[in-house]
Amino acid sequence: MGFSKDYIYKCEVWSLSTNLASLKLWVFLLPLSFSCTGLSTRLKRFTLLRSPLGNKTAKDQFERREYRGYFCIESKKASKILALISVLRHLNGVKYKVKMCSKLKYLN
């Protein structure tokens, strides 16, 4: 039993967008071997008064939907993960959070 000197790099990406079409775009950029998970949709509802002075019963209601997704990639080459992150930077309207870690491969 021991450790090899090969590192396995792991990249976890959480994404958030108000446009569902732009969020689905990054799914097509992933190779088929990687799985992605759609997370729950957040609804934000708020009410605005139409007239700030007189009529308090005249109100407009709005709703904003935020779609979220998650995927995880493991690779022996850090260059593959860095290439994916550079592609993510160019997606319009998608916010993302990336968590990188590396671990040693365990040999039996």
Side-chain angles (χ1 to χ4, degrees), residues 74-97:
E74 289 186 359
S75 176
K76 291 182 181 178
K77 297 181 181 178
S79 61
K80 286 184 180 181
I81 294 176
L82 293 174
L84 176 73
I85 292 173
S86 67
V87 169
L88 285 175
R89 287 187 315 155
H90 299 294
L91 291 178
N92 193 12
V94 178
K95 297 178 186 175
Y96 61 91
K97 176 182 169 185

Side-chain angles (χ1 to χ4, degrees), residues 2-9 75-77 102-107:
F3 290 100
S4 71
K5 295 189 180 189
D6 295 332
Y7 284 103
I8 297 176
Y9 298 97
S75 176
K76 291 182 181 178
K77 297 181 181 178
S102 62
K103 58 184 177 180
L104 289 173
K105 189 191 302 184
Y106 185 71
L107 297 175

Side-chain angles (χ1 to χ4, degrees), residues 1-2 12 14-15 17 21 35 41-42 49-52 58 60 70 78 80 82 84-86 88 92 94 96:
M1 288 190 197
E12 297 177 347
W14 291 269
S15 58
S17 178
S35 64
T41 302
R42 289 185 189 168
L49 294 174
R50 284 187 185 178
S51 172
D60 283 330
Y70 167 81
K80 286 184 180 181
L82 293 174
L84 176 73
I85 292 173
S86 67
L88 285 175
N92 193 12
V94 178
Y96 61 91

